[in-house]
Amino acid sequence: MTAPAEHPEGLDRSDPEAEINARAEAYRNWGRWGEDDVLGTLNFVDAAKRRQAAALVTDGTVVSLTQPFDMNGPQKGWRRRTNPVHTMLDTGTDAERGNQGFPHGIGGADDIVAMPLQCSTQWDGLGHIFDHGFAWNGRRAGDVVTSDGDLVTGIEHAAAAGVSRGVLLDLGRHLYPETGELPDGYAITAADLDACIAAQGATSAVGRGDMVVVRTGQLARAKRDGWGDYAGGPAPGLSLTTAGWIHRTEVAAIATDTWGFEVRPNEFDVAAFQPLHQVAIPNIGLTIGELWDLDALAESCLARGRYEFLLVASPLAITGAVGSPINPVAIF
Amino acid sequence: MTAPAEHPEGLDRSDPEAEINARAEAYRNWGRWGEDDVLGTLNFVDAAKRRQAAALVTDGTVVSLTQPFDMNGPQKGWRRRTNPVHTMLDTGTDAERGNQGFPHGIGGADDIVAMPLQCSTQWDGLGHIFDHGFAWNGRRAGDVVTSDGDLVTGIEHAAAAGVSRGVLLDLGRHLYPETGELPDGYAITAADLDACIAAQGATSAVGRGDMVVVRTGQLARAKRDGWGDYAGGPAPGLSLTTAGWIHRTEVAAIATDTWGFEVRPNEFDVAAFQPLHQVAIPNIGLTIGELWDLDALAESCLARGRYEFLLVASPLAITGAVGSPINPVAIF
Amino acid sequence: MTAPAEHPEGLDRSDPEAEINARAEAYRNWGRWGEDDVLGTLNFVDAAKRRQAAALVTDGTVVSLTQPFDMNGPQKGWRRRTNPVHTMLDTGTDAERGNQGFPHGIGGADDIVAMPLQCSTQWDGLGHIFDHGFAWNGRRAGDVVTSDGDLVTGIEHAAAAGVSRGVLLDLGRHLYPETGELPDGYAITAADLDACIAAQGATSAVGRGDMVVVRTGQLARAKRDGWGDYAGGPAPGLSLTTAGWIHRTEVAAIATDTWGFEVRPNEFDVAAFQPLHQVAIPNIGLTIGELWDLDALAESCLARGRYEFLLVASPLAITGAVGSPINPVAIF
Amino acid sequence: MTAPAEHPEGLDRSDPEAEINARAEAYRNWGRWGEDDVLGTLNFVDAAKRRQAAALVTDGTVVSLTQPFDMNGPQKGWRRRTNPVHTMLDTGTDAERGNQGFPHGIGGADDIVAMPLQCSTQWDGLGHIFDHGFAWNGRRAGDVVTSDGDLVTGIEHAAAAGVSRGVLLDLGRHLYPETGELPDGYAITAADLDACIAAQGATSAVGRGDMVVVRTGQLARAKRDGWGDYAGGPAPGLSLTTAGWIHRTEVAAIATDTWGFEVRPNEFDVAAFQPLHQVAIPNIGLTIGELWDLDALAESCLARGRYEFLLVASPLAITGAVGSPINPVAIF
């Protein structure tokens, strides 16, 4: 058996099933961390990696990688994914007017949010995607995620696992230095990733346990031109053929500034939907970040000539969740 | 004018209004960081403090300080504060059965949450509490927080401000070494805080820009005995008379393992409600953390004989929110 | 084969499975209204029945049979069934203060609700209960109700089907004339129903297409004594053995003033859960109403000496819902 | 003082404030039903009117006037008005698979909805609109609707008030018989209403206590052509100048098949927003229905040559709500 192709030209664009299955089999990590594992590639982050990451903090600057969470976001309701709806339970207007009934001049405001866990900057949990009815580590999907949530690999298990060395790979700037933006539909290859690392220099080296953030520039374009079909439409992103690179480098997580992490339209001439997710999440056990804002980070890295930092992106401990809104911070 | 009393015995228990006002005036930081300030005491954290904090990471261990976010939480509906309701938009059961209509064997799970922003482990934003109709920095409450949310000091402004040196003050263990738990109604004094620092040793020193986490032990009791009235009932917590200590030490934030940060019942013989909040948030500009789980952290600190760590507690960037659910992590 | 017993004494209290199955088989209406049916016993209501119902309006009085929808309701979170959470998007306080930005003096208030469809006065839809993996009319449960809702028998199909002759059977008053309240655990039998009809007189006659509302008095008790375990605890209600009566009378729907329509605890000495639901909804095709307030209606009927009326209880047309909050009205 | 003009040509299009104020003063019903009134023009419906309405039921046909409640609706998020989000708490897929843990073969599905109360077919409550800081009956807006909801005129007070004689005025068909649709921006005048009544014949006579449903045909257009800007964009609707007609006829309520009841754009050359609302709700005390589907009703009326019917449109008893989703039914 030959290894799956690592360039889109090697894909049989008429047969997604075969191309997906080949990579699922080649890169499957089931059992690698035991039968009971709930963390997947987050296991690659060890104490040494976290010490290395913390040691990268030399000037004390924090850059948040979050997009806003509000009604002006990109969601259009696909599969009931809406923008977050934030409403007030108590307001300053009521407090000022004396409507609240509290004693001695105290007043308060309180609020509530209803939001899909994938509405803005987020982690995909391990229960988010299945492959032919199977979830991460070979469990049956219906044993893992029911209407009661993810009973096995809920995101709460990763509560302490969102800390590592982060590395920015600014593919937008690397490949399109004039605009800093990959065009929609651009499939980032393993060779592109390696070339970007080489071009950016030693601080971009990627290895076991690192969390890689790949900037495509699509968000910068959406900020300028409007959301359009940012949530689900054509986008730059990783090629299915990067699955080998992901597996080989043993990165802990990958995040992008796009809705869907991988290139869209997907790389087939027949019906296909997020094939790299299908390989990466249930088979490799990869935690994926989406809808991150990497523009300020890219400026920081460029100005410093340094692409590594302490990354802290802790999921909310929502029991049984298959994803989590986050506010990732890069600390230099 | 004499300084407000720093011990509960000095309080006039019949006159909360006067006691609150005295402290509001004595410790008010309005204008300290300019007319447009939106961060309050979070301004005390500077790059040097963050460098100091990161340098505390010596073994690479992460301890999450979050409580779970689920229906088993403590909320009982007071002012419509419920436990979080997490529901699925898609499940593994449907995916396994082939109900989802996706091609080539991919399946997915997706979810949504509706939750008060104060339902579990959280930061209070600066727009959360008002004093006689005024919000932080002297703004009129009705100009700041309307039905559209906090238009001025929304928690999104603190997106990059949740990183500093954390210090655990384990008052439960310090004052009640046998149980490690303060009784409900115990009012922690400034002298208690100083004595705890002295007892715990040099790694507990508290100063400008630090984020102090005060463990009372009440959560450990609730885990053992059931929630009871954890959400709003009697609890150990800071005395109103610690306002001077908070102001003087110039800490950036304080968090506790209780619902309400300050002692309950409040320290008056007449109607009173969260008087320390009224001084601390709109007047001092203090960011307050509540419902944190400090039990594992206490174990870690005790085992290390070290009470300081890198604390990262980044709020979700919910535009206009007066609080945020968080997953604080302590990194050693 | 003998007909299933019509009195609780005839039940084998050690074998719920057999008792349920016997009634499911004996009273199953699958196919009665064709393969594509989505209404079940609501089909029993025809135009003649509705004309009869409208002709009952002689004095023009309307009695609402709804309980309130608010945070003071009975729900305690069982299976994430909470009380409704109603929040404001805009308020009069903001409007009065001039915070809204509308021209020439107009102001507005707007609101939003998040609620389980079974939180207060409601209809159970046909997709609400399954029997051994089968839904109404013999469809496989997983073909009918997925994470996308009830794809076949969603409550929207009954949008025009909530109108008929209503008949109040005030079992509370009939059996316990002094208090008007059945004790918790009282199992209403077919004989009880017939005796109540006889005692109340000719206006209580029950037949094909009628909607029967059975008052137990439990709600009156809860209003007086507090909710206690109203939502799921012990309650008076219909005995499993009334399944034959329900089938034979060809009523279109039955509603009660309790959480669960049938007697609780259920009538077995071993684990059992809502066995009459299991017979009535997926097998008989019965639409069931729960959490109705029948106290004012009972007063009206008693004062008039008349127990029949025009009943209008139209479900909200929530696409794919397996139940609907309603405000049923009786018109005399 | 002269009476306000009853035709758009009589409006001073440069001065909405004056035009609104003139009508507010001329048609204000404050105090008409006492200081404590919470029903406004719904008080016009008396028992005799309801008897008259019920007597209209001659063939027993029910026509539902509801639009669907789902994610395919017209809402686009204006002021956080979204389409309803309906999610499952339990599914048939889980039940069929045996995931639910219930005994003896019972399974269940349950669901939850989060929806703005104005998202689809609905009544505006009396607390929905204010005029210069005043609510219905002259109350201060901030005394009536706070963050806790409508404390005075909440829609729950109208729980038994949604029953009357309904009259369809099919302005679409009357004015544009070929298409049955008024163009966007068409301002329906008092003369149009009277002419439509005359043309439709005696069964269309409108008087005290009737509920008038005005079909513009815009919804039929949206069904055919897509929503476009149905939620808030240009639309046919009542002219501001119909305020006198509304007041004079003493109708109990008016509903339309549009988002906003009145013509849009509003009839001024300067900034204006829903001026007829401002006159009708807080001053006249009118209950307004929006987003009704009147197409099937129009067919029914045309086929019968009869435009009157029993209308039952009972609001959900959501405590403190300023509106309610409904499923109005016309019974012939």
Side-chain angles (χ1 to χ4, degrees):
Chain A
M1 175 180 138
T2 56
E6 296 222 356
H7 192 279
E9 290 178 3
L11 283 175
D12 179 349
R13 295 179 63 92
S14 69
D15 194 351
E17 184 95 14
E19 294 288 354
I20 293 164
N21 291 351
R23 287 167 180 81
E25 287 172 24
Y27 308 129
R28 191 169 280 153
N29 282 325
W30 296 357
R32 183 166 182 167
W33 297 283
E35 287 302 297
D36 297 332
D37 181 63
V38 295
L39 291 177
T41 57
L42 294 175
N43 285 293
F44 284 132
V45 187
D46 60 13
K49 174 59 65 178
R50 286 186 289 257
R51 287 194 299 269
Q52 176 194 9
L56 298 172
V57 179
T58 55
D59 56 53
T61 301
V62 179
V63 178
S64 167
L65 312 184
T66 190
Q67 292 191 27
F69 283 69
D70 58 38
M71 289 290 287
N72 299 317
Q75 304 296 342
K76 294 181 167 180
W78 179 77
R79 295 185 88 78
R80 287 169 289 171
R81 282 197 198 157
T82 66
N83 289 311
V85 179
H86 171 239
T87 58
M88 301 308 295
L89 298 169
D90 290 298
T91 67
T93 320
D94 279 329
E96 183 184 307
R97 196 184 189 280
N99 280 349
Q100 296 185 322
F102 290 120
H104 61 72
I106 192 172
D110 230 22
D111 43 8
I112 192 168
V113 73
M115 59 177 167
L117 299 183
Q118 306 254 345
C119 66
S120 186
T121 306
Q122 116 280 351
W123 283 129
D124 283 347
L126 291 179
H128 178 50
I129 298 289
F130 313 106
D131 180 14
H132 290 89
F134 287 89
W136 163 242
N137 227 25
R139 302 177 181 104
R140 293 186 65 193
D143 286 337
V144 178
V145 187
T146 74
S147 297
D148 286 332
D150 186 329
L151 309 174
V152 181
T153 46
I155 201 95
E156 73 274 17
H157 296 288
V163 180
S164 191
R165 174 177 173 258
V167 177
L168 171 70
L169 301 184
D170 189 348
L171 272 293
R173 172 169 293 273
H174 170 63
L175 290 167
Y176 287 76
E178 289 195 21
T179 63
E181 300 170 16
L182 300 183
D184 292 335
Y186 186 94
I188 299 167
T189 65
D192 287 338
L193 294 168
D194 287 334
C196 180
I197 292 169
Q200 290 185 175
T203 62
S204 300
V206 167
R208 177 181 288 200
D210 291 324
M211 293 181 173
V212 178
V213 288
V214 174
R215 184 182 170 280
T216 68
Q218 192 203 18
L219 178 61
R221 186 158 61 246
K223 289 179 193 168
R224 186 182 62 237
D225 299 342
W227 288 120
D229 288 328
Y230 180 83
L238 296 186
S239 167
L240 171 60
T241 60
T242 61
W245 186 94
I246 293 170
H247 183 258
R248 183 168 64 244
T249 54
E250 301 185 330
V251 295
I254 306 182
T256 68
D257 57 348
T258 65
W259 173 83
F261 165 73
E262 59 187 292
V263 65
R264 290 181 60 81
N266 302 125
E267 302 159 281
F268 293 95
D269 298 328
V270 296
F273 185 72
Q274 302 299 76
L276 183 55
H277 274 71
Q278 189 174 348
V279 174
I281 295 181
N283 288 292
I284 297 180
L286 185 73
T287 289
I288 294 175
E290 289 160 338
L291 295 160
W292 294 32
D293 185 343
L294 304 175
D295 293 338
L297 178 67
E299 292 300 315
S300 283
C301 288
L302 184 67
R304 282 177 176 77
R306 166 153 84 94
Y307 291 83
E308 61 184 346
F309 41 85
L310 170 60
L311 177 66
V312 182
S314 301
L316 291 187
I318 301 173
T319 307
V322 298
S324 176
I326 48 175
N327 175 2
V329 289
I331 314 177
F332 289 91
Chain B
M1 173 178 139
T2 56
E6 297 222 355
H7 193 279
E9 290 178 3
L11 284 174
D12 179 350
R13 296 180 62 92
S14 69
D15 195 351
E17 184 96 13
E19 294 289 354
I20 292 164
N21 290 351
R23 287 168 181 80
E25 287 172 24
Y27 309 129
R28 190 170 280 153
N29 281 327
W30 295 358
R32 184 168 181 165
W33 296 284
E35 289 302 297
D36 297 332
D37 180 63
V38 295
L39 290 177
T41 57
L42 293 175
N43 285 293
F44 284 132
V45 187
D46 60 13
K49 174 57 64 178
R50 286 186 288 256
R51 287 194 299 270
Q52 176 192 8
L56 297 172
V57 179
T58 55
D59 58 50
T61 301
V62 179
V63 178
S64 167
L65 312 183
T66 190
Q67 292 191 27
F69 284 69
D70 59 38
M71 289 290 287
N72 299 317
Q75 305 295 342
K76 294 181 169 180
W78 179 78
R79 295 186 88 80
R80 287 169 289 172
R81 281 196 199 158
T82 64
N83 289 313
V85 179
H86 170 238
T87 58
M88 302 308 295
L89 298 169
D90 292 297
T91 67
T93 319
D94 280 330
E96 184 185 304
R97 197 185 188 280
N99 280 348
Q100 297 185 323
F102 290 120
H104 60 70
I106 192 172
D110 230 23
D111 42 7
I112 192 168
V113 72
M115 60 177 166
L117 300 183
Q118 307 253 343
C119 66
S120 186
T121 306
Q122 117 280 350
W123 282 128
D124 283 348
L126 291 180
H128 178 51
I129 297 290
F130 313 106
D131 180 13
H132 291 89
F134 287 89
W136 162 242
N137 227 23
R139 302 176 181 105
R140 294 186 65 192
D143 287 335
V144 177
V145 187
T146 74
S147 297
D148 286 332
D150 186 329
L151 309 173
V152 180
T153 45
I155 201 93
E156 73 274 16
H157 296 288
V163 180
S164 192
R165 173 178 173 258
V167 178
L168 171 71
L169 301 183
D170 189 349
L171 272 293
R173 172 169 294 274
H174 170 62
L175 290 167
Y176 287 75
E178 290 194 21
T179 63
E181 299 171 16
L182 300 182
D184 292 336
Y186 186 95
I188 299 167
T189 66
D192 287 338
L193 294 167
D194 286 334
C196 181
I197 292 169
Q200 289 185 174
T203 62
S204 300
V206 166
R208 176 181 288 200
D210 291 324
M211 293 182 173
V212 178
V213 289
V214 175
R215 183 182 171 280
T216 70
Q218 193 203 18
L219 178 61
R221 186 158 61 246
K223 288 180 195 168
R224 185 182 63 239
D225 299 342
W227 288 118
D229 288 328
Y230 179 83
L238 296 186
S239 168
L240 171 60
T241 60
T242 60
W245 186 94
I246 293 169
H247 184 258
R248 184 169 62 245
T249 53
E250 300 185 332
V251 295
I254 306 182
T256 68
D257 58 350
T258 65
W259 173 83
F261 165 70
E262 60 188 289
V263 64
R264 290 180 61 80
N266 302 126
E267 301 159 280
F268 293 95
D269 298 329
V270 297
F273 185 73
Q274 301 299 75
L276 184 54
H277 273 71
Q278 189 174 348
V279 174
I281 295 181
N283 289 292
I284 298 179
L286 184 72
T287 288
I288 294 175
E290 290 160 338
L291 295 160
W292 294 32
D293 185 342
L294 305 175
D295 294 337
L297 178 67
E299 293 300 315
S300 283
C301 288
L302 184 68
R304 283 176 175 79
R306 166 153 84 94
Y307 291 83
E308 61 185 346
F309 40 85
L310 170 60
L311 177 66
V312 182
S314 300
L316 290 187
I318 301 174
T319 306
V322 298
S324 176
I326 48 175
N327 174 0
V329 290
I331 313 177
F332 289 90
Chain C
M1 174 179 139
T2 56
E6 296 221 357
H7 191 280
E9 289 177 6
L11 285 174
D12 179 349
R13 295 179 63 91
S14 69
D15 195 352
E17 183 95 14
E19 294 288 355
I20 292 164
N21 290 351
R23 287 167 180 80
E25 288 172 23
Y27 309 129
R28 191 170 280 153
N29 281 326
W30 295 357
R32 184 167 181 166
W33 296 283
E35 288 301 296
D36 297 332
D37 180 62
V38 294
L39 291 178
T41 57
L42 293 175
N43 285 293
F44 284 132
V45 188
D46 59 14
K49 174 59 65 179
R50 286 187 287 257
R51 287 194 299 269
Q52 176 193 10
L56 297 172
V57 179
T58 55
D59 57 51
T61 301
V62 179
V63 178
S64 167
L65 312 184
T66 191
Q67 291 191 28
F69 283 68
D70 59 38
M71 290 290 287
N72 299 317
Q75 304 295 342
K76 294 181 168 180
W78 179 78
R79 294 185 90 78
R80 286 169 289 170
R81 282 196 199 158
T82 64
N83 290 313
V85 179
H86 170 239
T87 58
M88 301 308 295
L89 299 169
D90 291 297
T91 67
T93 320
D94 280 330
E96 183 184 305
R97 197 184 188 281
N99 280 349
Q100 296 185 323
F102 290 121
H104 60 74
I106 192 171
D110 231 22
D111 42 8
I112 191 168
V113 73
M115 59 176 167
L117 299 183
Q118 307 254 343
C119 66
S120 185
T121 306
Q122 116 280 347
W123 283 128
D124 282 348
L126 291 179
H128 178 50
I129 297 290
F130 313 106
D131 180 13
H132 290 88
F134 287 90
W136 163 242
N137 227 24
R139 302 176 181 105
R140 294 187 63 192
D143 287 335
V144 176
V145 187
T146 74
S147 297
D148 287 332
D150 186 329
L151 309 174
V152 180
T153 46
I155 201 94
E156 72 275 15
H157 295 289
V163 180
S164 191
R165 174 177 172 258
V167 177
L168 172 70
L169 301 185
D170 189 349
L171 273 294
R173 173 170 292 273
H174 170 62
L175 290 167
Y176 286 76
E178 290 195 21
T179 62
E181 299 171 15
L182 301 182
D184 292 336
Y186 186 94
I188 299 167
T189 65
D192 287 338
L193 294 168
D194 287 335
C196 181
I197 292 169
Q200 289 185 176
T203 63
S204 301
V206 167
R208 177 180 288 199
D210 291 324
M211 293 183 173
V212 178
V213 289
V214 174
R215 185 182 170 279
T216 70
Q218 193 202 20
L219 178 61
R221 186 158 60 245
K223 288 179 194 169
R224 186 182 62 239
D225 299 342
W227 288 119
D229 287 328
Y230 180 84
L238 296 186
S239 168
L240 172 59
T241 59
T242 60
W245 186 93
I246 293 170
H247 183 258
R248 183 168 64 244
T249 53
E250 300 184 332
V251 295
I254 306 182
T256 67
D257 58 349
T258 65
W259 173 83
F261 165 71
E262 59 187 291
V263 64
R264 291 181 60 80
N266 302 125
E267 301 159 282
F268 294 95
D269 299 328
V270 297
F273 186 71
Q274 301 299 76
L276 184 55
H277 274 71
Q278 189 174 347
V279 174
I281 295 181
N283 288 292
I284 298 180
L286 185 72
T287 288
I288 293 174
E290 289 160 338
L291 295 161
W292 294 32
D293 185 341
L294 304 175
D295 293 337
L297 178 67
E299 292 300 314
S300 283
C301 288
L302 184 67
R304 282 176 175 79
R306 166 151 85 94
Y307 290 83
E308 61 185 347
F309 40 84
L310 170 61
L311 177 66
V312 182
S314 301
L316 291 186
I318 302 173
T319 307
V322 297
S324 175
I326 48 174
N327 175 0
V329 290
I331 314 178
F332 288 91
Chain D
M1 173 180 137
T2 56
E6 295 220 358
H7 191 278
E9 290 177 4
L11 284 174
D12 179 350
R13 296 180 62 92
S14 68
D15 195 351
E17 183 95 14
E19 294 288 355
I20 292 164
N21 290 351
R23 288 167 180 80
E25 288 172 23
Y27 309 129
R28 191 170 280 152
N29 282 325
W30 294 357
R32 184 166 181 167
W33 296 283
E35 288 302 297
D36 297 332
D37 180 63
V38 295
L39 291 178
T41 56
L42 293 175
N43 285 292
F44 284 132
V45 187
D46 59 14
K49 174 58 63 180
R50 287 187 286 255
R51 287 193 299 270
Q52 176 192 7
L56 297 172
V57 179
T58 55
D59 55 52
T61 302
V62 179
V63 178
S64 167
L65 312 184
T66 190
Q67 292 191 29
F69 285 69
D70 59 37
M71 289 290 286
N72 299 318
Q75 304 295 342
K76 294 182 168 178
W78 179 77
R79 294 185 89 78
R80 287 169 289 170
R81 283 196 198 157
T82 64
N83 290 312
V85 179
H86 170 239
T87 57
M88 301 308 295
L89 298 169
D90 291 298
T91 67
T93 321
D94 280 329
E96 184 184 305
R97 197 184 188 282
N99 279 349
Q100 297 185 322
F102 290 120
H104 60 73
I106 192 171
D110 230 23
D111 42 7
I112 191 168
V113 72
M115 61 176 165
L117 299 183
Q118 307 253 344
C119 66
S120 185
T121 307
Q122 115 281 349
W123 283 129
D124 283 347
L126 291 179
H128 178 50
I129 297 289
F130 313 106
D131 180 13
H132 291 88
F134 287 90
W136 164 242
N137 227 23
R139 301 176 181 104
R140 293 186 65 192
D143 287 336
V144 177
V145 187
T146 74
S147 297
D148 287 331
D150 186 329
L151 309 174
V152 180
T153 45
I155 200 96
E156 72 275 16
H157 295 289
V163 180
S164 191
R165 173 176 174 259
V167 178
L168 171 70
L169 301 184
D170 189 347
L171 273 293
R173 172 169 293 273
H174 169 63
L175 290 167
Y176 287 75
E178 291 195 21
T179 63
E181 299 171 16
L182 301 182
D184 292 337
Y186 186 94
I188 298 167
T189 66
D192 287 338
L193 294 168
D194 287 334
C196 181
I197 292 169
Q200 290 185 177
T203 62
S204 301
V206 167
R208 177 180 287 200
D210 291 324
M211 293 182 172
V212 178
V213 289
V214 174
R215 184 181 170 280
T216 69
Q218 193 202 18
L219 178 60
R221 187 158 59 245
K223 289 178 194 168
R224 186 181 62 238
D225 299 342
W227 288 119
D229 287 329
Y230 179 84
L238 296 186
S239 167
L240 171 60
T241 60
T242 60
W245 186 93
I246 293 169
H247 184 259
R248 183 168 65 244
T249 53
E250 301 185 332
V251 295
I254 306 182
T256 67
D257 57 349
T258 66
W259 173 84
F261 165 72
E262 59 187 291
V263 64
R264 290 181 60 82
N266 302 124
E267 302 158 281
F268 294 96
D269 299 329
V270 296
F273 186 72
Q274 301 300 77
L276 183 55
H277 274 71
Q278 190 173 348
V279 175
I281 295 180
N283 288 293
I284 298 179
L286 185 72
T287 288
I288 293 175
E290 290 160 339
L291 295 161
W292 294 32
D293 185 341
L294 305 175
D295 293 338
L297 178 67
E299 292 301 314
S300 284
C301 288
L302 185 68
R304 283 176 175 79
R306 166 153 83 94
Y307 290 83
E308 60 185 347
F309 41 85
L310 169 61
L311 177 67
V312 182
S314 299
L316 290 187
I318 302 173
T319 306
V322 298
S324 175
I326 48 174
N327 175 0
V329 289
I331 315 178
F332 289 91

